[in-house]
Every structure is written in C-alpha cells, then in structure tokens.
Amino acid sequence: MDGPIVTADPIRAAGGVLWRPAGGDIEICVVHRPYLKDWSLPKGKLDGGEHPLTGAVREVLEETGVRGLPQLRLPPVAYSLPDGRPKTVDFWLMRAAGTAAVAVADVTEVDEVTWLAPGEAALRLSYPADRALVGHVAGLPAVSTVTALVRHATAGERKAWKGNDNLRPLDEAGQSQSDRLGELLALFEPRLLSAATPLRCKQTLQPLADKLGLPIVTDSAFTEADKTDEIPAKVAVARDRLTELRDGPVAAICSQGKMIPPLLAAVAGAEDAVVYKTPKGGGWLLTWAGDRLLGLSRL
C-alpha cells in the first residue's frame, strides 16, 4: 500500500505592482533578475513570521530602490515550483513615494530596473500571472486616498474591570499588538490619527503616533453604541465621518469591535456585516477612487 501523500506548506512571498505618474498616464516598474534571466514584478520570500504587507514593501524597496506606498491588495498568485512545492505571492498596488531612489540591495538578485507604460510592461514581463496583474491595475480608476481602520488591541476582560470601562487600558499582549500595528500602519504614511473615545483605542495608536510624531484626535463618531437600538444612528454618523475623511490625507482610525462590522457593511453596501468581523488588533484598508470604494483589504 502506498504511504500517505505529504503536502508541503506553501512558500510565502510578497511583492508589488509599483507605479508612478507619467504625464496623463502611469508607468509600471519591472525588474530583471540575472540568475533567472527573466523580467518580473518586484517580489520575494517573506522573512520568518514577517507580515505579508511588510514583506511586500521591503522587497519592492530592495529590488527597485524605491519606497512603495501600499494602496490596494491585489489578487494573489499561486503556482508550483519546478520541484513541486507550492508557492503563493501576495501582491499590493503601490505608488512610488517621491522620485529619489536608493541603490538596489543586491545586484545579483536584480541587475536592471525600468519603468514602462502598462502595455509595454506587460510585453516585457516573462510570466502570464505578472502580465495579468498589470492588466488588472491598468483597468483600475486612479486611487485618491486610503484609510486604515483598526480595532483596538487586547485590553483584558470587560467583566474583570471594576472601573469606568472607557478607562480600561491595554494589557501586556495588547501593548505588543499595538507595537506591531504601529509598524504596519506606518507603511501607509498616515497624516491623520483618530481614535474612538475609550483609552484603549488611543493606546492602540500611540506607538504609531510616537513613530510619526503626530497627535491622536479623539473622535466619538467611531465609538460603539451603548444600546442595540442606537447602533443604526451611530453607524450612520461614523459612515458620514469616513466620507469626510476620504477627501483628506491618509488616515488611520482605531474603533471598536461592535462598530467596525456594521460600519464597513454600510460603506460597502453589503447586507451581511459578519464578513467584516475583526479580531482585536486587526483591521482593514479602505481604498478610495474619489467617492467610490475601490477595495476593502483585510490587514
């Protein structure tokens, strides 16, 4: 009898479709890898337990010398390596930050970086999956801004807290979560930080605020309702506030577990809010093209 079939865990990688304005159009960055003799979108394997978004930004910088600002999660790519091992690559749409470039980290990995119009980039790329991603990006409307919406980190048990619940602080695990969130949210370079009323919401954004040197604005619009019958009215206020923020700079908002699912359902025009249930310390990226919600990317 044959033994059991052993399936290897997928190799995890991440990368980006990096773009920059070019007249009234855009250009896409593609790289040449001498060891494979191919043209590819910038991507590479994750380091240990690295977050896929962190890895995507790192790989784009290392392979192109350009800092990419994430804007939208793109369809992932999955394929099998020549030895049969599965590989998955998480891709993000990224706008090039400025025009200055640094030296590519390893010229044995990438020896040529070039910017091409989407059609030319698709012709230059060696792999169908990369070409499909470029075609997908070329068909998207221009991204106007992004908004990060996160749920506060862990703060112990509500029933075990004897005082005012708005003053319940993050616990030790929550502090670690907030530190990791600070590193992740900084990749978007937010210019406005907003937190719901509870102390734990402000504390969740504090590492990010310290990193960026920005104040945290307390905004009760993102505070969850005290009573069930108040939820629709509270969600309407929060939705209107999000609508205001989409016309401004990149924002990072910390809200609460009972607010985020119905709020995102309202913004997305979805009937089922359950799909937007968010764990503590988790969150979403809302991508806007003017008044159109282009994407909701889970972080």
Side-chain angles (χ1 to χ4, degrees):
M1 179 182 296
D2 293 336
I5 297 175
V6 178
T7 302
D9 291 334
I11 295 174
R12 298 293 306 280
V17 179
L18 180 68
W19 70 274
R20 69 183 184 186
D25 206 340
I26 65 170
E27 290 179 331
I28 303 292
C29 187
V30 298
V31 301
H32 183 258
R33 302 184 297 183
Y35 68 104
L36 291 174
K37 298 180 180 179
D38 65 5
W39 285 92
S40 170
L41 295 171
K43 58 181 179 289
K45 290 190 292 186
L46 301 181
D47 291 339
E50 187 177 35
H51 191 285
L53 179 55
T54 304
V57 172
R58 175 185 56 76
E59 284 290 341
V60 165
L61 178 60
E62 289 178 357
E63 293 197 351
T64 70
V66 177
R67 167 90 164 85
L69 297 176
Q71 295 182 306
L72 176 70
R73 185 189 294 276
L74 297 173
V77 171
Y79 56 93
S80 295
L81 297 173
D83 62 6
R85 290 179 299 167
K87 183 175 181 178
T88 61
V89 187
D90 289 321
F91 275 99
W92 284 77
L93 176 67
M94 299 184 192
R95 178 175 63 83
T99 57
V102 298
V104 173
D106 187 351
V107 294
T108 63
E109 292 278 341
V110 170
D111 64 351
E112 188 173 352
V113 178
T114 189
W115 294 85
L116 299 169
E120 295 175 6
L123 291 174
R124 182 74 63 91
L125 289 165
S126 301
Y127 304 107
D130 285 0
R131 293 195 290 269
L133 280 173
V134 169
H136 177 75
V137 167
L140 294 175
V143 173
S144 54
T145 192
V146 298
T147 306
L149 177 64
V150 301
R151 183 181 177 186
H152 67 76
T154 60
E157 294 292 332
R158 183 190 297 259
K159 61 184 178 182
W161 179 253
K162 304 301 183 182
N164 182 339
D165 190 63
N166 280 335
L167 299 180
R168 178 159 50 96
L170 297 184
D171 55 23
E172 185 175 353
Q175 292 288 352
S176 296
Q177 285 181 325
S178 67
D179 288 339
R180 291 194 295 272
L181 265 178
E183 295 295 326
L184 188 66
L185 295 178
L187 299 176
F188 303 107
E189 296 190 359
R191 291 294 174 261
L192 174 65
L193 308 183
S194 183
T197 307
L199 172 65
R200 53 193 177 275
C201 294
K202 180 179 180 181
Q203 288 180 327
T204 298
L205 292 183
Q206 194 60 57
L208 176 64
D210 294 341
K211 186 177 183 67
L212 299 178
L214 292 174
I216 301 172
V217 178
T218 300
D219 193 336
S220 61
F222 299 109
T223 304
E224 63 187 16
D226 292 326
K227 300 178 181 179
T228 303
D229 60 0
E230 297 174 348
I231 292 177
K234 287 288 294 182
V235 168
V237 171
R239 181 188 58 204
D240 290 345
R241 184 71 180 114
L242 273 181
T243 300
E244 295 172 5
L245 292 176
R246 75 184 181 201
D247 296 324
V250 175
I253 303 163
C254 185
S255 185
Q256 297 177 268
K258 293 180 182 178
M259 169 62 82
I260 292 176
L263 172 57
L264 291 181
V267 171
E271 295 183 2
D272 187 2
V274 174
V275 296
Y276 301 114
K277 186 176 181 180
T278 307
K280 293 176 181 178
W284 301 80
L285 184 71
L286 290 78
T287 304
W288 300 100
D291 59 0
R292 173 183 170 187
L293 180 64
L294 190 59
L296 264 174
S297 308
R298 187 183 282 272
L299 299 175

